[in-house]
Amino acid sequence: MVNRRRAPRTGTAPPLRADDGRWQELLDIAARIFARKGYRSTTLQDIADEFGVLKGSLYHYIRSKDELLFEVVRTVYGGGLAHLRELAGADLDPVERLRAVIRGHVRYLIDNLVGTTVLLHEFDQLSAEHRARLPVRDYQEVVAGLVVDARADPRVKPDLDPQLTALAVLGAANWVHRWYRPDGRRSPEEIGAAYADLLVDGMLTGAGAG
Amino acid sequence: MVNRRRAPRTGTAPPLRADDGRWQELLDIAARIFARKGYRSTTLQDIADEFGVLKGSLYHYIRSKDELLFEVVRTVYGGGLAHLRELAGADLDPVERLRAVIRGHVRYLIDNLVGTTVLLHEFDQLSAEHRARLPVRDYQEVVAGLVVDARADPRVKPDLDPQLTALAVLGAANWVHRWYRPDGRRSPEEIGAAYADLLVDGMLTGAGAG
DNA sequence: CGCGCCCCGACAACCGTTTGGTAGGGCTAC
DNA sequence: GTAGCCCTACCAAACGGTTGTCGGGGCGCG
């Protein structure tokens, strides 16, 4: 978490003015509307209305609508990957670490529901340049690496495909935003625990087929 | 698989003219472009170009763009649900039936990749009326029911949450269209088998925690 | 003839973006 | 202190392009 006020003009296209409360507010509003209606169906008019501004005035904060989407997903993308890597670095035996990672990742996805919704649903609406700066493959690599580690444990199925397993784990987790409701019967912790047990136990040799 | 030529004018809004080769061709083209660019980013111009027609001429086949999307997803929705229920009715012991269902469903999703991509990605772009006619919850209910059946088997974790488990299964499966490539290293059968073993074995009591 | 199939031309609405202007707060020089 | 200045934040109005949709007409075929 870099402490930056008056963000320096580094990189290609940093936000014009970062960290003001108003900028964060705009990001939140945009994320919420993007999540509800979809990027392409969202009008700058929609955002400006909720922001309390004429739509042209938004260009004081953004360079283009595309960049606004990028700024929204960049935050949650970076945060999620950092969080995932932190979990993956825990000092636990590989199997339990995998369990903790799934629990924690599901928890993150739910804690950042609107952001992850936009990231997962509108990712391919980004320009090719912006998309290249968010290599979602990294998520898969982290989880696949953990599966490789776990395979050293004799309890784990030796013929487990790390990539395929990682994709199954991430797929299950990434689907949560489509059905989770804060007033639902299950808490984020219960969901994370259930997913972790289901998926990690599925990697172990047990009563099932080999 | 209903055999219908010259589809009767049942329901609210059947296609103006069904089953002509040209109509099916239009559906395929629309589905492909919707899958690639997204519904909202796809213009009738795009579709008309590939169809070899001026965009106004499309209204000879469709009533509106929204209806075109509906017709695309209706096909794959109905087919997928029918296929899933057929698999769920197989005369197998509940655990093996669940395995077969996951294998078969993944296989279906891959066999109908463009259609399922549109269904899963553009579902909420449908009008509320159209959406109500495609209760996606039905998928969840079918799988949850199978989990309930399987729970009668003593090998299965007795405290398994059917809804949560069904959502995990469907989430993993529904993610496939985001990464599957026909020239990839794994065949549809291998993917389905890997997913089935991972998820079903995860439901069994084994070496893991309870 | 009649009908399916498509062209042609248009329209109204909308959308992202631009340009020019302005109120006001705060810093600085005198 | 106050006049001058700049910067931030926004308004007002427009522009060019695009989009979904529609009506009318023509052509070929059974």
Side-chain angles (χ1 to χ4, degrees):
Chain A
M1 305 314 162
V2 195
N3 178 12
R4 51 186 167 96
R5 53 176 64 203
R6 300 275 161 228
R9 301 303 178 90
T10 62
T12 324
L16 269 56
R17 257 152 229 93
D19 286 345
D20 299 344
R22 197 83 170 123
W23 164 253
Q24 198 55 209
E25 190 185 343
L26 174 59
L27 240 47
D28 287 354
I29 289 173
R32 202 164 49 237
I33 306 184
F34 284 161
R36 178 159 43 93
K37 310 178 55 169
Y39 170 71
R40 209 73 192 205
S41 299
T42 298
T43 308
L44 290 182
Q45 188 71 54
D46 295 333
I47 298 171
D49 286 349
E50 197 147 331
F51 196 50
V53 141
L54 294 189
K55 67 170 177 172
S57 306
L58 289 178
Y59 282 78
H60 189 66
Y61 295 90
I62 65 174
R63 196 167 329 216
S64 67
K65 190 190 177 189
D66 179 84
E67 194 205 71
L68 180 56
L69 173 61
F70 176 70
E71 291 299 329
V72 167
V73 302
R74 190 171 66 98
T75 306
V76 70
Y77 168 89
L81 194 54
H83 188 250
L84 188 68
R85 286 184 166 138
E86 189 184 323
L87 291 166
D91 189 21
L92 293 169
D93 98 277
V95 171
E96 287 312 310
R97 187 167 53 195
L98 204 37
R99 223 180 282 269
V101 163
I102 295 176
R103 268 203 311 267
H105 188 54
V106 167
R107 175 64 197 261
Y108 177 88
L109 292 177
I110 294 179
D111 283 345
N112 301 72
L113 204 58
V114 290
T116 54
T117 299
V118 178
L119 172 62
L120 292 170
H121 215 96
E122 310 296 342
F123 182 78
D124 28 0
Q125 295 291 337
L126 288 168
S127 70
E129 296 76 31
H130 282 153
R131 221 176 309 139
R133 293 173 55 188
L134 304 179
V136 286
R137 181 66 66 97
D138 287 0
Y139 279 81
Q140 180 185 342
E141 292 308 329
V142 171
V143 178
L146 291 171
V147 174
V148 170
D149 294 347
R151 248 188 347 190
D153 192 307
R155 289 175 299 168
V156 175
K157 297 174 181 171
D159 58 337
L160 206 61
D161 184 315
Q163 302 294 339
L164 226 42
T165 307
L167 287 166
V169 168
L170 289 174
N174 289 341
W175 190 247
V176 170
H177 77 94
R178 293 282 285 254
W179 55 265
Y180 177 81
R181 296 292 175 270
D183 55 341
R185 289 198 342 275
R186 298 293 177 181
S187 72
E189 280 77 12
E190 288 174 314
I191 297 167
Y195 275 38
D197 286 341
L198 178 73
L199 290 160
V200 174
D201 289 350
M203 305 181 203
L204 305 179
T205 61
Chain B
M1 301 306 170
V2 195
N3 178 11
R4 52 184 167 97
R5 54 176 63 203
R6 298 274 162 227
R9 301 301 178 90
T10 61
T12 323
L16 270 55
R17 257 153 231 92
D19 287 343
D20 299 345
R22 197 84 170 122
W23 164 251
Q24 198 56 227
E25 190 185 342
L26 174 59
L27 241 46
D28 287 354
I29 289 173
R32 201 164 51 237
I33 307 185
F34 285 161
R36 179 159 41 93
K37 311 177 55 169
Y39 170 71
R40 208 73 192 209
S41 299
T42 299
T43 65
L44 291 181
Q45 187 71 54
D46 295 333
I47 298 172
D49 285 349
E50 196 146 331
F51 195 50
V53 139
L54 294 190
K55 67 169 179 171
S57 306
L58 290 178
Y59 281 79
H60 190 65
Y61 297 89
I62 65 175
R63 196 167 329 216
S64 67
K65 189 190 177 190
D66 179 84
E67 195 206 69
L68 180 56
L69 173 61
F70 176 69
E71 290 299 328
V72 167
V73 302
R74 190 171 66 99
T75 307
V76 69
Y77 167 89
L81 194 54
H83 187 250
L84 188 67
R85 286 183 167 138
E86 189 184 322
L87 291 166
D91 189 22
L92 293 170
D93 99 277
V95 171
E96 286 312 309
R97 187 167 52 195
L98 204 37
R99 223 180 282 269
V101 164
I102 295 177
R103 269 202 311 267
H105 187 54
V106 167
R107 175 64 196 261
Y108 177 87
L109 292 177
I110 295 179
D111 283 346
N112 300 72
L113 204 58
V114 291
T116 54
T117 300
V118 178
L119 172 62
L120 292 170
H121 215 98
E122 310 296 343
F123 182 79
D124 28 0
Q125 295 292 337
L126 287 168
S127 69
E129 295 76 29
H130 282 153
R131 220 176 310 140
R133 293 173 56 190
L134 305 179
V136 286
R137 180 66 66 98
D138 288 0
Y139 279 82
Q140 180 184 342
E141 293 307 329
V142 171
V143 178
L146 291 171
V147 174
V148 170
D149 294 347
R151 248 187 347 189
D153 192 308
R155 288 175 300 167
V156 175
K157 296 174 182 172
D159 58 337
L160 207 60
D161 184 316
Q163 302 294 339
L164 226 42
T165 307
L167 287 166
V169 168
L170 289 173
N174 288 341
W175 190 247
V176 169
H177 77 94
R178 293 282 285 254
W179 56 264
Y180 177 81
R181 296 292 173 271
D183 56 340
R185 290 198 341 275
R186 299 293 179 179
S187 73
E189 281 77 13
E190 288 174 315
I191 296 166
Y195 274 39
D197 287 341
L198 178 72
L199 290 160
V200 174
D201 288 350
M203 304 183 202
L204 306 179
T205 60

